[in-house]
Amino acid sequence: MLCWCGDTGRCGSLLLIMEQINNIQVVPCTSSDYLKPLRVHYSQNGAKKSWDFMRTHDSVSVLIFNTTCHCFILVKQFRPAVYMCEWEKSQSAQAKEKAAEEDEAEPDEKAPASDAGSDDKGEESGQTVDVPPASAGVTYELCVRPVDKPDLSLEDIARQEVLQECGYDVPATKLRRITSYRSGVGVTGAKQTLFYAEVSDENCVGVGEGGNEAQEGELVEVVKVPLHEAMNFAYDESIPKTMGVIFSFVWFHSNMAPKYKISTNV
């Protein structure tokens, strides 16, 4: 995976921390501060229907552009949900591969069930199959925050997150509202409001500290994507990213790039 942070030393150390994934256990979620699974029953045009959905918070996201270095400020973060999608794929693929090998083996070549492997990565060793690296769950994202503070405006929530997560102090009045949209329409239907913020190196009060919210248990790395590489970055499928990144880069190209007279490599 490409490194966009510009600080190979810090990036390497943070990646090593992110790679420490083990003791994976999937258990039922009986309670959560962020998600609540529900089922709705309703009638539509005389037909009885039902649908499972998840109640969660709305959110704000911020496209941050640094006018000093002409680059976008993103965050790179390990996402357990993304990782588990890849983990489950690996489980299924390895199970199919094992079954195919057993089908191809002659009956006398198959090991007795009682000999199943204390020397392999079997259940007795606590590792049923090989697991993907933690990098399989790392994504590039905009600065995002749940709307979990009803006493604050969306602009104030966005401002706080830009400061805490990315280390830039931007007045709420300098945030430009781009639009809002629904995300996860099949599961949550939550609304996300997208803002645009221009910053400079003078606004930076500590990117190194801002990117890692230890008190919230997060491992977040602040990264910079040069403006002239933004559109290639957006459409490169080998770089895992959210739809918000792609949409906001396209918006910037259409609305802001002419102001800076810099090619965005479209």
Side-chain angles (χ1 to χ4, degrees):
M1 183 183 298
L2 296 174
C3 174
W4 299 84
C5 67
D7 186 345
T8 55
R10 181 178 181 275
C11 176
S13 61
L14 188 54
L15 282 176
L16 287 176
I17 297 174
M18 287 185 176
E19 285 295 342
Q20 297 175 11
I21 302 295
N22 49 43
N23 299 326
I24 298 172
Q25 299 179 29
V26 181
V27 300
C29 179
T30 57
S31 64
S32 171
D33 293 334
Y34 303 100
L35 302 173
K36 185 176 182 180
L38 297 165
R39 175 172 296 169
V40 58
H41 300 287
Y42 63 100
S43 294
Q44 186 175 28
N45 297 328
K48 292 184 178 181
K49 299 182 179 181
S50 63
W51 191 267
D52 296 339
F53 70 101
M54 197 80 69
R55 181 178 294 162
T56 187
H57 293 290
D58 290 339
S59 61
V60 295
S61 59
V62 187
L63 172 64
I64 306 171
F65 182 68
N66 187 315
T67 58
T68 303
C69 59
H70 282 186
C71 63
F72 295 103
I73 307 299
L74 301 181
V75 295
K76 185 166 66 171
Q77 184 171 357
F78 175 78
R79 291 295 190 180
V82 174
Y83 181 81
M84 290 309 298
C85 287
E86 298 303 316
W87 182 82
E88 290 179 348
K89 287 179 184 178
S90 72
Q91 303 284 290
S92 177
Q94 291 178 59
K96 289 180 180 179
E97 182 179 347
K98 182 178 179 181
E101 291 175 352
E102 291 178 350
D103 289 341
E104 293 175 359
E106 294 295 331
D108 58 352
E109 293 178 351
K110 294 182 179 180
S114 60
D115 294 334
S118 56
D119 293 331
D120 319 313
K121 292 181 179 179
E123 292 185 2
E124 294 181 9
S125 65
Q127 295 179 330
T128 56
V129 290
D130 292 334
V131 299
S135 57
V138 172
T139 59
Y140 290 84
E141 309 173 17
L142 299 177
C143 179
V144 178
R145 174 80 188 188
V147 179
D148 55 359
K149 299 178 180 180
D151 56 322
L152 296 180
S153 67
L154 296 181
E155 289 78 5
D156 285 331
I157 293 174
R159 176 191 178 277
Q160 286 187 1
E161 191 64 7
V162 170
L163 177 61
Q164 293 173 5
E165 190 166 72
C166 298
Y168 288 93
D169 190 2
V170 181
T173 55
K174 296 296 184 180
L175 290 169
R176 171 178 173 179
R177 182 169 179 153
I178 298 176
T179 190
S180 62
Y181 43 82
R182 297 288 177 175
S183 59
V185 292
V187 180
T188 67
K191 178 186 287 187
Q192 183 167 101
T193 302
L194 173 62
F195 293 94
Y196 171 67
E198 288 188 355
V199 302
S200 68
D201 287 350
E202 294 179 357
N203 302 122
C204 184
V205 295
V207 174
E209 294 79 8
N212 194 357
E213 294 297 305
Q215 71 272 21
E216 297 185 7
E218 294 183 346
L219 289 174
V220 179
E221 179 185 345
V222 178
V223 298
K224 297 179 180 179
V225 177
L227 174 58
H228 67 275
E229 298 179 13
M231 297 307 290
N232 288 337
F233 181 94
Y235 288 106
D236 187 340
E237 295 184 32
S238 69
I239 304 173
K241 68 189 76 67
T242 63
M243 188 61 201
V245 171
I246 300 174
F247 170 75
S248 60
F249 280 12
V250 172
W251 173 86
F252 185 96
H253 169 72
S254 300
N255 294 274
M256 305 300 295
K259 170 182 176 181
Y260 296 98
K261 298 179 181 180
I262 295 178
S263 170
T264 51
N265 277 353
V266 177

